[in-house]
Amino acid sequence: MSTSRLQHIKDHLLGEYTCAEMAAPYSPLTTHVLNTGMGVPGAHMALSLHRMDPSTSLWNLLTTGTTNDDGRCPGLITRETFTPAVYKMRFETGQYWESLGETSFYPYVEIVFTITDHSQKFHVPLLCSRFSYTTYRGS
Amino acid sequence: MALSLHRLDSLLVIWNLVTVGTTDEDGRCPGLITTKAFTPGMYKMRFETGQYWESLGHNSFYPYVEIVFTITNPNERFHLPLLLSRFSYSTYRGS
């Protein structure tokens, strides 16, 4: 059995998903990465979504993905899985800048946020350059 | 606002607490680290933003903010501001 097939099975057993596999009609949580340093979408940036387990204070990996050409990553989570909790979006910004042949001040960016009303839509964008970043709660 | 500075132990891959502090009335926190202790490495500034907004009687989208950054040349000066609202934040590398 190939290692990628083993990884695929492992991911499903552990409840981890990639954005492509989810293919949800829409996710109540969305993101958008913008490369403000170059004025382009932050395309092909690896990212992951995690949820904090309140009893252990450990982060559980929910989804991994890569932004598309538009800097977006559809299918992050399903409505059913999106329970009230503390979540973390991790963006592999250091890898991203490295792939463009640049250094960056931040090896990665983690944005931790609290979801109390999971019936709403939440948009967690990242506007980043090599030496700065911004995020805001959108919908 | 309570904050803390941490340095990554690259061998053990754990964060070591370097400094804890609270911002003054100007939002600054002098004396974060000495030149001697400021070695090249990966650092993390953690800001207790959730507590801050709570003390003002508000809720906030972010329970805390952690900014992880890499120092390769510790001879330079680094300024790590946090521009913050209940539903957004920004940071940049200053000097």
Side-chain angles (χ1 to χ4, degrees):
Chain A
M1 195 182 285
S2 70
T3 50
S4 64
R5 178 81 184 131
L6 276 171
Q7 179 68 40
H8 193 79
I9 293 169
K10 169 187 164 279
D11 287 347
H12 277 283
L13 286 173
L14 295 177
E16 299 166 14
Y17 294 94
T18 63
C19 287
E21 289 162 2
M22 298 278 278
Y26 84 97
S27 164
L29 176 66
T30 54
T31 188
H32 193 189
V33 182
L34 294 133
N35 176 342
T36 53
M38 290 165 59
V40 295
H44 316 298
M45 179 185 289
L47 54 79
S48 51
L49 176 66
H50 310 250
R51 186 201 290 117
M52 174 166 288
D53 181 329
S55 50
T56 60
S57 286
L58 292 177
W59 291 105
N60 295 326
L61 175 64
L62 297 175
T63 319
T64 60
T66 309
T67 57
N68 57 23
D69 287 345
D70 196 32
R72 300 178 192 275
C73 194
L76 274 172
I77 197 168
T78 62
R79 178 123 285 184
E80 296 76 47
T81 325
F82 195 46
T83 53
V86 174
Y87 289 81
K88 173 170 78 174
M89 284 275 295
R90 176 178 167 125
F91 300 86
E92 303 300 340
T93 53
Q95 279 177 21
Y96 169 78
W97 289 109
E98 209 176 297
S99 75
L100 296 176
E102 309 264 26
T103 60
S104 166
F105 190 47
Y106 314 98
Y108 58 86
V109 170
E110 286 187 346
I111 298 167
V112 180
F113 53 99
T114 310
I115 301 295
T116 43
D117 179 4
H118 60 140
S119 64
Q120 290 181 42
K121 289 200 69 193
F122 294 85
H123 186 61
V124 180
L126 178 68
L127 295 79
C128 64
S129 74
R130 294 168 59 207
F131 297 101
S132 72
Y133 67 88
T134 298
T135 188
Y136 61 85
R137 184 258 150 110
S139 59
Chain B
M1 181 185 295
L3 53 79
S4 51
L5 176 66
H6 310 252
R7 188 198 290 110
L8 184 75
D9 180 325
S10 42
L11 217 61
L12 301 171
V13 196
I14 54 170
W15 290 104
N16 292 325
L17 177 64
V18 173
T19 318
V20 289
T22 311
T23 55
D24 59 22
E25 276 161 18
D26 199 31
R28 299 178 192 276
C29 195
L32 274 172
I33 195 168
T34 61
T35 314
K36 222 170 128 191
F38 195 45
T39 53
M42 198 181 292
Y43 289 79
K44 173 170 76 175
M45 281 280 290
R46 178 179 167 123
F47 300 87
E48 303 301 340
T49 56
Q51 279 177 19
Y52 169 77
W53 289 112
E54 208 174 297
S55 74
L56 297 176
H58 292 297
N59 59 16
S60 166
F61 190 47
Y62 315 98
Y64 58 85
V65 171
E66 286 187 346
I67 298 167
V68 181
F69 54 101
T70 310
I71 301 297
T72 42
N73 182 4
N75 294 319
E76 295 178 39
R77 293 201 61 205
F78 296 85
H79 185 60
L80 221 84
L82 179 67
L83 293 78
L84 177 75
S85 78
R86 293 168 58 205
F87 298 102
S88 75
Y89 67 88
S90 249
T91 187
Y92 61 87
R93 184 257 150 111
S95 58

